[in-house]
Amino acid sequence: MPASSTRNLIVETADDLFYEGGFEATSFAHIAAAVGISRGNFYHHFKTKDDMLDAVIARRVKRTHAMLDGWQADGDGPRERILSFVHMLVANRAKIMAFGCPVGTLCCELAKLDHVAQDRAAEIFGLFRDWLTGQFQALGAGDRAEALALHLLVRSQGVAVMATAFRDDSFIRSEVAGIEHWLTTLPDISPSR
Amino acid sequence: MPASSTRNLIVETADDLFYEGGFEATSFAHIAAAVGISRGNFYHHFKTKDDMLDAVIARRVKRTHAMLDGWQADGDGPRERILSFVHMLVANRAKIMAFGCPVGTLCCELAKLDHVAQDRAAEIFGLFRDWLTGQFQALGAGDRAEALALHLLVRSQGVAVMATAFRDDSFIRSEVAGIEHWLTTLPDISPSR
DNA sequence: GACTAATTAGGACGCTTGTCCTAATTTTGC
DNA sequence: GCAAAATTAGGACAAGCGTCCTAATTAGTC
């Protein structure tokens, strides 16, 4: 077992707790209890709590990259790949209703805290935006590709916020159906390559 | 001057600070410094911090009601009234980019905190939903009115989140233009009366 | 003008926070 | 097997938190 497996365990646990309880409200004591190690031990792996946030964001960036690469390699067309993104909302609906979107809620919290990591967290949105832009370009959207990608992000984030506020399960499904219908209305200029 | 003007001042100040810094991160010391009164003085007006949150939410509910009533009395048609709602995004774009939507961010924070006031905060969304539903009904949308209202709330919240994350001014304008175009595509069965 | 009630100031309280320090333990390299 | 390094435990720390208490001040009533 590699020497820094404790560090990975800390980052994984902090990732979950930051998502479910928020960054500010999650204390070292909470993380220590969840991991099962001593409080003072953290400072051998991370200088400050902000360093831990950096590690969590880096982990999320890495996992997002891996997820997008996985969808890219699935062999389906761009329309199916876009649907993979949209269906995250349905697959994660229980957690979204309870805690919102991990990316959106972190960005909003860091904005209020005027935190230095604000832009680094927003870069996860940048990954989705760029990947979706690529898919819409593959659909032949040309110059409109990025605008369509941002529109899809807007609707996804809106669904997440409203689902969290109303805690309504049926709400996510109907909005996703609306997005799916919107996708079918897009002109498919060059469906393959 | 009425006896409880101090109380109103506290609620107004707390409202702003909760919006700009978040509920949890805003302490009594911050509010006391902003109002210019002693810390211990709070507890003559509010039993706990949660009581203060209740008062802030009640104030927001009241002001939202007043705003919707004002739009209702403006004498324009339902389409113009819906635009009044949409144009809030443009009018408040500076604050939205810095702190997000006051309603959406509070609901998301309270969800993560598993706070008892969660549903009361979401009721502000309920006010907008019901009012917008009325406007779409006046447009002749019939059974689809509430779905259209929720769709508009979704897009507005999505714009707010993405504008906060990317801190992009032009982004809000282009998305609002998209919403305005969407409104023109709606069938206007009964434009007047 | 005196008595009562409402309001305010200011500090004490127990607790939690992030951070830091030191000693003990485990792992690693020779 | 031993010395050096990495890792862990556990507590100390100053500061900040929400809450509470008491004394002082102000406002209102007869």
Side-chain angles (χ1 to χ4, degrees):
Chain A
M1 194 172 293
S4 61
S5 85
T6 301
R7 191 194 140 98
N8 290 336
L9 196 60
I10 292 174
V11 175
E12 287 172 24
T13 307
D15 194 342
D16 290 344
L17 293 182
F18 286 174
Y19 172 39
E20 297 176 3
F23 168 67
E24 181 100 342
T26 300
S27 72
F28 276 62
H30 295 136
I31 306 172
V35 177
I37 61 173
S38 165
R39 260 147 290 130
N41 190 2
F42 283 115
Y43 285 83
H44 190 261
H45 299 283
F46 307 97
K47 267 209 285 282
T48 76
K49 196 185 179 188
D50 287 352
D51 277 8
M52 240 174 67
L53 176 61
D54 282 345
V56 167
I57 293 177
R59 173 184 144 95
R60 292 191 185 183
V61 166
K62 196 174 173 183
R63 288 164 62 92
T64 302
H65 245 125
M67 184 174 63
L68 296 176
D69 287 350
W71 290 343
Q72 196 71 30
D74 269 356
D76 296 325
R79 209 176 285 273
E80 287 74 22
R81 288 200 277 265
I82 294 172
L83 284 176
S84 298
F85 168 80
V86 175
H87 288 157
M88 268 199 308
L89 288 167
V90 179
N92 301 329
R93 63 188 184 279
K95 291 210 131 198
I96 289 174
M97 283 194 300
F99 314 115
C101 165
V103 190
T105 53
L106 181 62
C107 285
C108 287
E109 181 181 359
L110 295 182
K112 281 186 199 288
L113 297 176
D114 202 17
H115 199 283
V116 285
Q118 198 175 347
D119 292 334
R120 296 198 49 214
E123 250 314 295
I124 305 178
F125 274 139
L127 293 179
F128 282 112
R129 177 199 57 206
D130 294 344
W131 184 85
L132 285 171
T133 299
Q135 306 310 315
F136 283 111
Q137 278 173 345
L139 277 179
D143 291 345
R144 293 178 59 233
E146 187 174 271
L148 294 173
L150 285 170
H151 176 74
L152 192 48
L153 279 175
V154 162
R155 291 185 72 162
S156 304
Q157 285 302 304
V159 168
V161 171
M162 299 306 298
T164 308
F166 285 139
R167 287 189 282 190
D168 188 343
D169 189 40
S170 65
F171 177 75
I172 292 183
R173 293 188 178 277
S174 69
E175 278 296 320
V176 165
I179 294 175
E180 287 173 343
H181 176 262
W182 170 75
L183 281 173
T184 65
T185 67
L186 291 179
D188 194 344
I189 300 179
S190 64
S192 67
R193 183 58 187 84
Chain B
M1 190 170 297
S4 63
S5 83
T6 301
R7 191 195 139 99
N8 291 336
L9 196 60
I10 292 173
V11 175
E12 289 172 22
T13 307
D15 194 342
D16 289 343
L17 293 182
F18 286 175
Y19 172 39
E20 297 176 3
F23 168 68
E24 181 100 343
T26 300
S27 72
F28 275 63
H30 294 137
I31 305 172
V35 176
I37 62 174
S38 165
R39 260 149 291 129
N41 190 4
F42 281 115
Y43 285 82
H44 189 261
H45 299 282
F46 307 97
K47 267 208 287 278
T48 76
K49 196 185 179 188
D50 287 352
D51 277 8
M52 241 176 65
L53 176 61
D54 282 344
V56 167
I57 293 176
R59 173 183 144 95
R60 292 191 184 182
V61 166
K62 197 175 174 183
R63 288 165 62 93
T64 302
H65 245 123
M67 184 173 65
L68 295 176
D69 287 349
W71 290 343
Q72 196 71 30
D74 269 354
D76 296 326
R79 209 177 285 271
E80 288 75 22
R81 290 200 276 266
I82 294 172
L83 283 176
S84 298
F85 169 80
V86 174
H87 288 156
M88 270 199 306
L89 288 168
V90 179
N92 301 330
R93 63 187 183 279
K95 291 211 133 197
I96 289 173
M97 283 193 300
F99 314 115
C101 165
V103 191
T105 54
L106 181 63
C107 285
C108 287
E109 181 181 359
L110 295 183
K112 280 185 199 289
L113 296 177
D114 203 17
H115 198 284
V116 285
Q118 198 175 348
D119 291 335
R120 297 199 48 212
E123 251 314 294
I124 305 178
F125 273 140
L127 294 179
F128 283 111
R129 178 199 56 206
D130 295 343
W131 184 85
L132 285 171
T133 298
Q135 306 311 314
F136 282 111
Q137 278 173 345
L139 277 180
D143 289 345
R144 293 177 59 232
E146 186 173 271
L148 293 174
L150 286 170
H151 176 75
L152 192 47
L153 279 176
V154 161
R155 292 185 72 161
S156 304
Q157 285 303 304
V159 168
V161 171
M162 298 307 297
T164 308
F166 285 141
R167 287 190 282 190
D168 189 342
D169 190 40
S170 63
F171 176 75
I172 292 183
R173 292 188 179 278
S174 69
E175 277 297 320
V176 166
I179 294 175
E180 286 173 344
H181 175 262
W182 170 73
L183 280 173
T184 65
T185 67
L186 291 179
D188 194 344
I189 300 179
S190 62
S192 66
R193 174 65 189 93

